[in-house]
Amino acid sequence: MTGQPFASPVPPGTGWPEDPAGLTTPAATSPAQVRRLAGTAQSLADVDARVSMCRACPRLVDWRESVAVGKRKAFLGEPYWGRPVPSFGDEQPRVLVVGLAPAAHGGNRTGRMFTGDRSGDWIHAALYRAGYAARPTSVSAGDGQRLSGVRMVAPVHCAPPDNKPTPDERAACGPWLDRELQLADSVESILVLGGIGWQSLHAAALRVGWSVPRPRAKFGHAAQTVFTVSGNGVSDGLGAGRPREVRVVGCYHVSQQNTFTGRLTEQMLDEVISLL
């Protein structure tokens, strides 16, 4: 794509397409620093840059970097991103798509969420069919893919061993998602892929002061609930913000296990996206 070589993992500020960080971007090395850096981010671009530098979870840092060095045989000739994968998409989104964590040889390789693997093929193709994506495929950072009105976010930004982040790792990464919910004040709908994403989104919404129905809606394909956000900055004529509602829709995850077995079909995916 660039005609230049890169180390694996990719150092910041070396020209990797879509790298949001620079040489002076701060790096969190503990959960406390994640909370501080997330809480002081002034824009979604700030969040992306700081996420991409995070080193707060030693197990995840070791794993993502070892994968970037060892590589899969099919990608031996390619550099691996090997850093936390930032969110991707519109910075004034109407819709959020919530996943779980990057794949070891997908986002961890390409540096873009849901890119370079079969799961990414499914969700990007569906977003293209719905008019949200510029292209039906997302192969690598810098390939021209753009999302309009949609932003992809995740509860965990590093590829975890066996695709299973620990509860402590999910808690450490949580402030990044919290801050994105606070800054993405144009959001009207959220598509949640998988039960863990459903749980993580509900927890984040409560942490940032959103109203969540009780009892909590159970996750399921096409499950729906509504969150209420207070004070979104829209003037009511008295200087106060008016509450707004955010529709939340569940979807089986676009994992190969679900798509290969037919548990999730293209039609099912298109139908839930049409609810947004």
Side-chain angles (χ1 to χ4, degrees):
M1 190 71 68
T2 66
Q4 68 183 84
F6 291 94
S8 300
V10 176
T14 54
W16 185 271
E18 301 175 21
D19 185 349
L23 297 177
T24 61
T25 302
T29 57
S30 69
Q33 289 183 351
V34 171
R35 291 192 295 271
R36 180 178 64 81
L37 290 176
T40 56
Q42 297 301 302
S43 66
L44 292 174
D46 282 348
V47 175
D48 289 343
R50 295 176 182 193
V51 160
S52 75
M53 296 294 292
C54 188
R55 303 183 66 83
C57 299
R59 187 183 80 112
L60 296 186
V61 172
D62 289 346
W63 172 253
R64 77 190 192 213
E65 293 186 352
S66 68
V67 170
V69 172
K71 305 182 181 181
R72 178 174 281 174
K73 184 180 294 185
F75 306 120
L76 282 177
E78 300 182 18
Y80 269 56
W81 172 255
R83 288 163 45 199
V85 180
S87 298
F88 173 68
D90 200 323
E91 292 192 8
Q92 288 291 320
R94 186 182 69 80
V95 176
L96 294 182
V97 176
V98 179
L100 172 57
H105 303 281
N108 188 58
R109 174 174 61 89
T110 65
R112 184 199 285 164
M113 199 168 291
F114 281 117
T115 296
D117 60 13
R118 291 288 296 170
S119 296
D121 293 344
W122 270 70
I123 189 62
H124 281 276
L127 292 173
Y128 176 78
R129 291 192 296 270
Y132 290 113
R135 300 160 59 97
T137 60
S138 183
V139 178
S140 65
D143 64 1
Q145 178 66 303
R146 295 290 182 270
L147 301 182
S148 177
V150 170
R151 180 173 172 85
M152 295 177 166
V153 303
V156 175
H157 287 272
C158 291
D162 300 318
N163 294 319
K164 294 179 180 178
T166 67
D168 284 347
E169 288 162 352
R170 288 166 57 185
C173 209
W176 300 122
L177 179 57
D178 296 354
R179 190 59 176 153
E180 291 201 81
L181 293 183
Q182 292 172 326
L183 291 170
D185 58 6
S186 55
V187 168
E188 300 173 4
S189 302
I190 302 176
L191 179 67
V192 187
L193 304 175
I196 293 178
W198 188 264
Q199 296 169 8
S200 298
L201 176 65
H202 277 72
L206 288 170
R207 288 195 299 268
V208 299
W210 292 13
S211 295
V212 175
R214 294 189 180 278
R216 181 180 300 182
K218 293 183 179 180
F219 173 75
H221 187 76
Q224 296 186 50
T225 189
V226 176
F227 295 167
T228 302
V229 184
S230 299
N232 67 339
V234 178
S235 174
D236 62 2
L238 300 175
R242 294 197 306 269
R244 62 186 170 96
E245 292 186 342
V246 175
R247 179 194 298 271
V248 180
V249 180
C251 178
Y252 292 147
H253 198 281
V254 288
S255 65
Q256 291 192 40
Q257 180 179 2
N258 286 340
T259 59
F260 281 3
T261 61
R263 187 175 190 231
L264 179 66
T265 66
E266 288 186 357
Q267 181 179 350
M268 292 168 64
L269 185 53
D270 290 346
E271 286 174 350
V272 293
I273 290 176
S274 73
L275 299 173
L276 302 172

